[in-house]
Amino acid sequence: MINETVKPLKQVLASPIASRSASPPPALPHRLVQSCKDEDTLYRCTSVDSLDSLQHSFRSPSTSADGSRKYISEDESSYGDVAAVAHSPRASPAAWTCCTRQLRPRTRFTGFQISDYKKYQVSVTLKTVDLPASSFCTASTPHVTGFLSICGLTAQHPEITTFFEGYAVTDNIGFLSSAMPSELDALKANDRTDLDHWLSFPCFKELCSPQDSAAEDAAKPAASAEDSKPDTLGAIVQGSYSHTDFMQNRFIYMRWKEKFLVPDADVDSVEGASYDGYYYIVHDQLTGHIVGFYYHKDAEKFQQLELTPVTDECSGSCDFEFN
């Protein structure tokens, strides 16, 4: 959600991405991949506030006997032998989804949404979490739902709360709008806009970078084309990349879309505020942090969301009745 009054002002202020091209070049895959490799497109928020000022102690993931971290909550999910569950004729759709240690119902996150010139306090409470544990899951059911509250956005409404739905990037839902199913049109922009935002996350840039160091590469014999490491960024742009086993990775990539106001779900809008856009989200399973960028074609670019988990497990729930 954003303050709509920033739109006229942003026409005067310099845009944080003013140097970027307003429209995609003709040869998108080649030019776009090359520009991403040649330039450091990481956007840095101008605010001096960051997650460092929001740190809370949080339990570190448990470690298995082989030393690997376990991000999946074994107590709260049916995640395990996914193949056996998915192919079982008696398996219900609920058996194909699960939670993680931090992404589970009633988990609360607090932090800020930061623009170029103002910071708003934000709190998020998850309502449902149904992360897909197999490729049998479709985009018909949101992977995450919850309530997002923001304070001080307008003078008339000290606090505004919306209900949102979120979808994770999986093997069925890609990073780019062109790789997303048609039922998620409300979460689509265009491929260049998607890459502009995803590349603002250091973890995504790392995902797209070769894992071997330069010294290791120099020590290895020349590799053939078949043996060379795949170009992840190029595969994403060309539509051949599949983000499989996404929950086994440290970072979960998502999109969040605010759907309506609560508790007044029948109210279509709030004067001076807008929730027509959506968030690009990254959840760090190691720290529990959530960072994101709000996007709408008419809004200030790269408004940053920074959230940390609330460790008080006795905190109350956030429930609303919809009529």
Side-chain angles (χ1 to χ4, degrees):
M1 182 184 297
I2 59 165
N3 188 324
E4 283 193 317
T5 60
V6 304
K7 289 186 285 188
L9 180 61
K10 292 308 293 178
Q11 296 174 2
V12 180
L13 296 177
S15 170
I17 57 170
S19 62
R20 294 193 175 112
S21 173
S23 60
L28 177 63
H30 174 72
R31 293 283 301 279
L32 188 56
V33 172
Q34 189 61 40
S35 65
C36 292
K37 291 180 178 179
D38 294 343
E39 299 178 6
D40 183 4
T41 56
L42 174 61
Y43 172 77
R44 299 186 182 278
C45 182
T46 58
S47 171
V48 296
D49 299 283
S50 67
L51 284 174
D52 293 338
S53 63
L54 304 172
Q55 294 289 342
H56 299 282
S57 60
F58 201 84
R59 298 189 305 269
S60 60
S62 59
T63 305
S64 62
D66 60 0
S68 61
R69 291 189 177 93
K70 293 296 185 181
Y71 298 118
I72 309 303
S73 171
E74 297 178 353
D75 295 334
E76 295 294 329
S77 75
S78 57
Y79 189 88
D81 187 359
V82 176
V85 174
H87 291 90
S88 172
R90 298 182 180 180
S92 64
W96 300 343
T97 62
C98 67
C99 307
T100 70
R101 294 185 64 257
Q102 293 112 350
L103 296 181
R104 64 175 63 193
R106 298 181 64 179
T107 300
R108 293 184 61 244
F109 299 84
T110 60
F112 300 98
Q113 181 164 313
I114 306 167
S115 68
D116 274 352
Y117 62 95
K118 197 165 184 180
K119 180 174 69 174
Y120 305 98
Q121 187 173 358
V122 175
S123 65
V124 168
T125 301
L126 300 183
K127 182 68 174 178
T128 65
V129 178
D130 296 296
L131 295 170
S134 78
S135 58
F136 281 70
C137 300
T138 65
S140 59
T141 301
H143 301 162
V144 176
T145 67
F147 303 102
L148 187 152
S149 298
I150 186 167
C151 298
L153 199 62
T154 66
Q156 298 81 4
H157 303 276
E159 182 177 9
I160 301 175
T161 301
T162 55
F163 176 82
F164 72 88
E165 296 178 349
Y167 293 86
V169 176
T170 66
D171 52 349
N172 293 326
I173 301 176
F175 283 101
L176 304 184
S177 297
S178 60
M180 297 176 62
S182 58
E183 55 262 41
L184 299 183
D185 284 347
L187 291 166
K188 294 181 181 180
N190 57 66
D191 289 358
R192 172 168 286 277
T193 297
D194 295 330
L195 279 181
D196 281 343
H197 287 79
W198 289 128
L199 284 168
S200 296
F201 298 103
C203 57
F204 181 81
K205 298 187 75 171
E206 183 178 354
L207 173 68
C208 296
S209 301
Q211 299 300 312
D212 294 335
S213 66
E216 291 175 343
D217 290 341
K220 291 180 179 179
S224 63
E226 293 78 12
D227 297 332
S228 60
K229 294 184 67 64
D231 182 358
T232 301
L233 182 59
I236 291 175
V237 172
Q238 294 168 8
S240 59
Y241 177 79
S242 180
H243 196 56
T244 57
D245 298 328
F246 71 99
M247 281 191 295
Q248 302 301 330
N249 300 318
R250 173 175 174 177
F251 300 99
I252 295 180
Y253 301 88
M254 294 180 281
R255 286 177 170 88
W256 288 1
K257 177 72 178 78
E258 295 169 285
K259 303 296 290 185
F260 51 81
L261 297 165
V262 292
D264 303 318
D266 294 332
V267 177
D268 294 331
S269 61
V270 174
E271 184 178 357
S274 171
Y275 54 92
D276 292 335
Y278 61 87
Y279 291 90
Y280 294 87
I281 294 290
V282 170
H283 169 60
D284 187 339
Q285 297 200 76
L286 182 60
T287 65
H289 296 158
I290 291 175
V291 294
F293 291 102
Y294 183 86
Y295 170 75
H296 186 265
K297 61 183 179 64
D298 297 325
E300 174 190 346
K301 305 302 181 184
F302 294 95
Q303 295 191 56
Q304 187 165 335
L305 182 69
E306 298 182 347
L307 302 171
T308 57
V310 176
T311 57
D312 182 8
E313 298 181 354
C314 296
S315 59
S317 62
C318 178
D319 291 326
F320 293 93
E321 293 292 336
F322 305 117
N323 296 323

